[in-house]
Amino acid sequence: MEAKRVKQILSSAADIEVKYNGVSVWIDQLNEDGRTATVHLRGPLEERSTVEINELIEG
């Protein structure tokens, strides 16, 4: 995924599914380096991880 699309998803009111390693995640923020994002799993666990945005897949 590109940084521009991450920003669009973050600003959207829609529920846009994003997957990381086949698991559905919420994007919390695009990090300042523009290459990584902070995400957490959808569901009760809110453990946050920093991941490379090129590993995020929409849909």
Side-chain angles (χ1 to χ4, degrees), residues 13-57:
D15 181 5
I16 300 168
E17 184 176 21
V18 175
K19 291 189 176 183
Y20 174 70
N21 287 341
V23 179
S24 232
V25 296
W26 290 106
I27 302 173
D28 297 315
Q29 69 180 26
L30 178 64
N31 297 327
E32 287 184 19
D33 61 15
R35 297 181 300 108
T36 61
T38 302
V39 302
H40 70 272
L41 297 176
R42 290 178 177 245
L45 298 175
E46 295 222 3
E47 183 178 331
R48 286 172 167 66
S49 301
T50 300
V51 301
E52 297 283 330
I53 63 171
N54 63 1
E55 296 179 30
L56 297 174
I57 299 172

